[in-house]
Amino acid sequence: MWLCSPSSPESTRRLAPVVFIIVMLAFLCTTVRVAPAGAAAAAAQTGHADEAHNPAAARTDSLIDAAVSAARNDDHTRSIDLYRHAAESAPDRRPEIALPLARELTWAGRYDEAEAELALFLDRRPKDREVRLHRALNFSWAGEIEDALGVYEDLLHDSPDDLEASLGRARMLSWAGRLKESNREYGRVAAAHAGVTSAELGRAQG
């Protein structure tokens, strides 16, 4: 029961503060609910804008993806062409592209071109293990046994327990006809890495 008529001036004066508080609370609740959605929408719009203003990056990614796909299908020539287009479109990403491109060049028997890519990368990061291992492999496939052996020995100088480098060195010694040294290396690997069947196989083939 109202103490006075709701339509009276007295009632209006009494209700005004209450109405004001209710309105402010409603406004604050709406703001809290809407702000995150608005921020998310703004962020999404910014992301789309970044993509729209950087089509070159999207094209480079597309070229790299296509190169990977071609490599999986053993289409090495196409993969090489795609990687090179990607490197041309984004020179700053050349180091990222160098190793997969070099691998494809090696598979295609284009050893000198692979070496050029690897050397370019190693000028910037001379201690990169993965690239050095592939350089040794590329040398070995090209018949440059001493060069391959030198790379494996450099790797072992930096990391004496490197299994791949040890096996690579043993294999190169065998290919070079240095069978006693090869057998010793395989024996050392077998002793240091129990259960490495590749070492025992190499010893037998030596």
Side-chain angles (χ1 to χ4, degrees), residues 76 80 83 97-109 114 117-118 130-131 134 137-138 141:
H76 304 298
I80 290 165
Y83 276 127
I97 295 167
L99 180 57
L101 172 56
R103 283 174 173 155
E104 292 307 297
L105 288 164
T106 299
W107 276 104
E117 291 295 329
L118 295 166
E130 191 173 4
V131 173
H134 186 75
L137 178 68
N138 186 69
W141 284 21

Side-chain angles (χ1 to χ4, degrees), residues 107-164:
W107 276 104
R110 294 158 63 173
Y111 306 120
D112 289 345
E113 294 175 70
E115 167 59 16
E117 291 295 329
L118 295 166
L120 183 65
F121 183 96
L122 289 169
D123 280 344
R124 298 183 182 182
R125 292 170 57 183
K127 293 297 185 180
D128 188 288
R129 175 181 177 273
E130 191 173 4
V131 173
R132 293 161 75 192
L133 281 171
H134 186 75
R135 190 181 203 185
L137 178 68
N138 186 69
F139 277 141
S140 71
W141 284 21
E144 304 290 341
I145 306 305
E146 291 302 321
D147 287 333
L149 185 58
V151 175
Y152 286 129
E153 289 178 344
D154 285 344
L155 282 160
L156 288 168
H157 179 269
D158 293 341
S159 180
D161 295 327
D162 190 317
L163 177 58
E164 287 184 72

Side-chain angles (χ1 to χ4, degrees), residues 68-115:
V68 171
S69 179
R72 287 173 178 165
N73 292 323
D74 292 329
D75 191 347
H76 304 298
T77 299
R78 175 168 170 73
S79 181
I80 290 165
D81 289 342
L82 289 164
Y83 276 127
R84 283 189 162 153
H85 285 315
E88 289 168 4
S89 69
D92 60 313
R93 295 177 68 178
R94 185 69 179 267
E96 169 192 346
I97 295 167
L99 180 57
L101 172 56
R103 283 174 173 155
E104 292 307 297
L105 288 164
T106 299
W107 276 104
R110 294 158 63 173
Y111 306 120
D112 289 345
E113 294 175 70
E115 167 59 16

Side-chain angles (χ1 to χ4, degrees), residues 3-4 12 26 47 54 70-71 113 116 126 129 132 148-149 169 171 191:
L3 296 177
C4 57
T12 300
N54 196 8
E113 294 175 70
R129 175 181 177 273
R132 293 161 75 192
L149 185 58
R169 179 176 185 273
R171 187 167 57 253

